[in-house]
Amino acid sequence: MLYNHVMSKERIEELRRLLKEASYQYYVLDNPSMLDSEYDMLFRELEVLEEQHPEYDDPSSPTKRVGYEVVSAFEKVTHEKPMLSLGDVFDYEELRQWSKKITDQYPDIEYSAEYKIDGLAMSLIYQDGYLQRAVTRGDGIVGEDVTSNVKTIRSIPLSIPYKQRYEIRGEVYMPKSAFIKVNKERIARGEEEFANPRNAAAGSIRQLDSRIAASRGLDGFWYHVPDDVNASDHLSSLSYAKQLGFKVNPNNRLCHSIDEVIDFIEDTAAKRNELPYEIDGIVIKVNSYSLQKALGFTSRIPKWAIAYKFRAEEARTVVKDIFITVGRTGKCTPNAHFEPVKVAGSTISYAILHNEDFIKEKDVRIGDTIIVHKAGDIIPEVVRVLKENRTGKEIPYVFPDTCPDCGGKIYRLQGEAAHYCVNSDCPAKVITGISHFASRDAMNIDGLGEKKVEAFYKAGILTSFEDIYKLHNRHDEILSLEKFGEKSYQNLIDAIENSKKNSLEKLLFGLGIRQVGEKAAKILAKRFKTMDNLINASVKDLSDIKDIGEITAIGIVDFFKSESNRNMIDILKLFGVNMEYIDTASNRITPFMDKTVVLTGALTIYTRDEATAILENLGAHVSTSVSKKTDYVIYGEKAGSKLKKANELGIATLTEEEFRNML
């Protein structure tokens, strides 16, 4: 649709309002009001309109969040009011003593008790309704301006309905799910894992390229407004902050005694491991601002607040062995195998020891008694060695100079802590590489998981990506393997045949090019369209692309320089593996092209996600609400108000069976 200037301005404003509301519902209230595909479509439309009309620029537009700024260093900023730390207590007796000092002066005290988020302390400063600055705590007096990175956090409002200066402080954190995802991506690129979500959040916020911060899934909770003129107590201040659009943790409790505070701590400790983010304690504050002012501060901490710190759940066990695992990049990672022990709700018996330097620093030996915990309540970690328990029979670990899987030499690369096996034929590298190639997010060959790949490798029938497409010739050998029958064989062959039709980005991700994850693979496929175009791209061609850095560009060029890699691509071509990008929504004439479709009722032929994916592949826009702009409503059993509204508006309706027949 073509817009004139007035219409464009109105549409830009409408899109910004819709996208801001959707982000608020999703990221702050955890109540999605719009499908991801619908959000993406509106977002792309806004990007195009803003590019066409720079005169309507708005620093609070949702498009400002995507991460575009690269800085050479972070500017130092002096806090207007110091960001003081809190005093800590570790048991209930210390907590009661702190409370008694207050109640001796002021008997009738109400406390606010809230989760202590384990993240990175941050101050947000708004002026004239817009986010002006985001500053780290630093040393409490001077922090760093990280505004460009904080703007990528979708739960943080870029503008608020409050025109005076407004400062709010809180914690930027990485949810546990994002932490696991980021570490998987780092492992896939051959990089060191983050030790815990707090370190991951801090490292992400201090990235000089805001695109990296944008990709890390950060979030934040906001819990303190210095000198708040809009409230008389702490909880009222948080309530007002929530009205302004800030994400405030709902797990706050007003307590009328220290015993109620302790009850809250007990309740929290019981469900701590189930939370989607990491907490390391409970913060207790005197609720009244007038009493906070009367109590005042020591030289470094407020007298009216304290942090009750959870002790990390630890367990004692004994190291049975230290062994090396080899990943698909050849990275050799040492691991401790210890006597099984229960920590934070699950039994663990292994922990990563990271690298040779870590083992030397901790002085971990086979036979040692060790203390373990879960870093971030997720990853098993060796905390320390109980050297006083040594008997003299413990065996110091000597890092091997040969690969445990292939016997080839392993090397520690200059400037890196990790060792690598450089043998391209190393069984561990081959097995994990093929498993990655066949994985769901890559070529999606169902029935070719790591255990099957290992069995095929040991049987000598699968040693490369190309061998996958020869498995139809190994019928008898495959059926001779344990737990493999005619049906599972045929299902595997069908899945392999289907994988040939994948779009180029699936193949690129599956090849395991260093630094090329799913997102980068999709960007490359869209940009270059064919494998041949990508093979002939220069470092400059690649690094000029947004989201493809120079290191990634060099890695891609080096990969395709390899004669063996080029030969492998040629063989895959001969087997009929698709080498082109498939834009599923373009160049197709379908009844649903550019139509707005609403799904309602209980679908029985397809799941809601399957139906949505089918429609989007046919060029449709799937919406959640019926309006005059809706073209079709597809309905299942027990359809209600949406179907009724469609009939009232004269919108075309299809039963699920009719929809399938159209397909």
Side-chain angles (χ1 to χ4, degrees), residues 464-473 496-497 500 568-579:
S464 66
F465 299 155
E466 307 97 292
D467 284 345
I468 293 173
Y469 297 95
K470 302 175 187 175
L471 289 178
H472 63 283
N473 296 323
I496 291 170
E497 195 62 30
K500 295 178 183 180
M568 177 261 295
I569 297 294
D570 288 340
I571 293 170
L572 292 178
K573 284 181 183 178
L574 290 174
F575 281 120
V577 176
N578 176 58
M579 298 282 162

Side-chain angles (χ1 to χ4, degrees), residues 117-151:
I117 308 299
D118 195 12
L120 182 70
M122 189 72 62
S123 168
L124 305 180
I125 300 164
Y126 292 77
Q127 188 67 51
D128 299 323
Y130 292 97
L131 177 60
Q132 182 186 63
R133 254 183 176 162
V135 185
T136 63
R137 179 183 180 276
D139 62 5
I141 305 298
V142 177
E144 292 179 317
D145 187 331
V146 290
T147 310
S148 58
N149 288 339
V150 168
K151 279 184 174 181

Side-chain angles (χ1 to χ4, degrees), residues 101-119:
K101 290 178 183 177
I102 296 173
T103 54
D104 282 349
Q105 300 177 69
Y106 306 101
D108 298 321
I109 290 289
E110 288 183 331
Y111 299 105
S112 163
E114 57 197 54
Y115 291 175
K116 186 176 184 298
I117 308 299
D118 195 12

Side-chain angles (χ1 to χ4, degrees), residues 67-188:
Y68 61 90
E69 189 172 343
V70 179
V71 297
S72 57
F74 296 115
E75 179 189 350
K76 300 292 184 184
V77 177
T78 301
H79 295 293
E80 199 164 293
K81 289 194 70 174
M83 290 184 71
L84 300 178
S85 57
L86 296 175
D88 294 332
V89 295
F90 295 90
D91 58 49
Y92 296 150
E93 182 56 36
E94 288 181 296
L95 183 59
R96 291 184 189 280
Q97 289 174 7
W98 170 80
S99 174
K100 188 173 185 302
K101 290 178 183 177
I102 296 173
T103 54
D104 282 349
Q105 300 177 69
Y106 306 101
D108 298 321
I109 290 289
E110 288 183 331
Y111 299 105
S112 163
E114 57 197 54
Y115 291 175
K116 186 176 184 298
I117 308 299
D118 195 12
L120 182 70
M122 189 72 62
S123 168
L124 305 180
I125 300 164
Y126 292 77
Q127 188 67 51
D128 299 323
Y130 292 97
L131 177 60
Q132 182 186 63
R133 254 183 176 162
V135 185
T136 63
R137 179 183 180 276
D139 62 5
I141 305 298
V142 177
E144 292 179 317
D145 187 331
V146 290
T147 310
S148 58
N149 288 339
V150 168
K151 279 184 174 181
T152 68
I153 301 173
R154 294 182 180 273
S155 65
I156 294 176
L158 299 182
S159 63
I160 58 175
Y162 187 80
K163 299 305 179 185
Q164 286 76 38
R165 185 183 185 280
Y166 187 83
E167 179 182 5
I168 190 167
R169 294 174 176 180
E171 206 86 8
V172 169
Y173 67 92
M174 182 174 285
K176 291 177 181 178
S177 57
F179 175 65
I180 293 169
K181 180 175 181 288
V182 167
N183 266 349
K184 282 183 179 177
E185 292 170 350
R186 292 178 72 83
I187 291 169

Side-chain angles (χ1 to χ4, degrees), residues 455-571:
F456 287 177
Y457 180 87
K458 288 178 178 177
I461 60 178
L462 184 56
T463 60
S464 66
F465 299 155
E466 307 97 292
D467 284 345
I468 293 173
Y469 297 95
K470 302 175 187 175
L471 289 178
H472 63 283
N473 296 323
R474 314 299 287 262
H475 174 274
D476 293 345
E477 292 162 278
I478 291 175
L479 260 61
S480 70
L481 298 176
E482 188 179 356
K483 296 181 180 178
F484 229 102
E486 187 66 48
K487 186 175 181 180
S488 55
Y489 165 81
Q490 192 56 53
N491 288 340
L492 173 61
I493 298 305
D494 290 345
I496 291 170
E497 195 62 30
N498 287 333
S499 75
K500 295 178 183 180
K501 305 170 188 174
N502 286 331
S503 184
L504 176 60
E505 68 271 14
K506 295 287 189 178
L507 175 60
L508 290 177
F509 180 52
L511 292 176
I513 305 169
R514 198 166 182 184
Q515 303 281 351
V516 177
E518 282 185 85
K519 182 179 178 182
K522 187 70 176 279
I523 291 168
L524 293 168
K526 273 188 169 182
R527 177 63 176 267
F528 292 99
K529 306 300 183 187
T530 71
M531 180 68 82
D532 288 340
N533 289 341
L534 178 59
I535 287 173
N536 294 319
S538 66
V539 171
K540 185 177 186 308
D541 293 335
L542 292 159
S543 56
D544 282 347
I545 302 171
K546 183 182 178 182
D547 292 328
I548 303 294
E550 187 175 359
I551 293 174
T552 303
I554 292 170
I556 294 167
V557 170
D558 286 346
F559 180 88
F560 289 117
K561 272 184 184 176
S562 163
E563 186 176 349
S564 63
N565 288 338
R566 296 280 284 267
N567 288 337
M568 177 261 295
I569 297 294
D570 288 340
I571 293 170

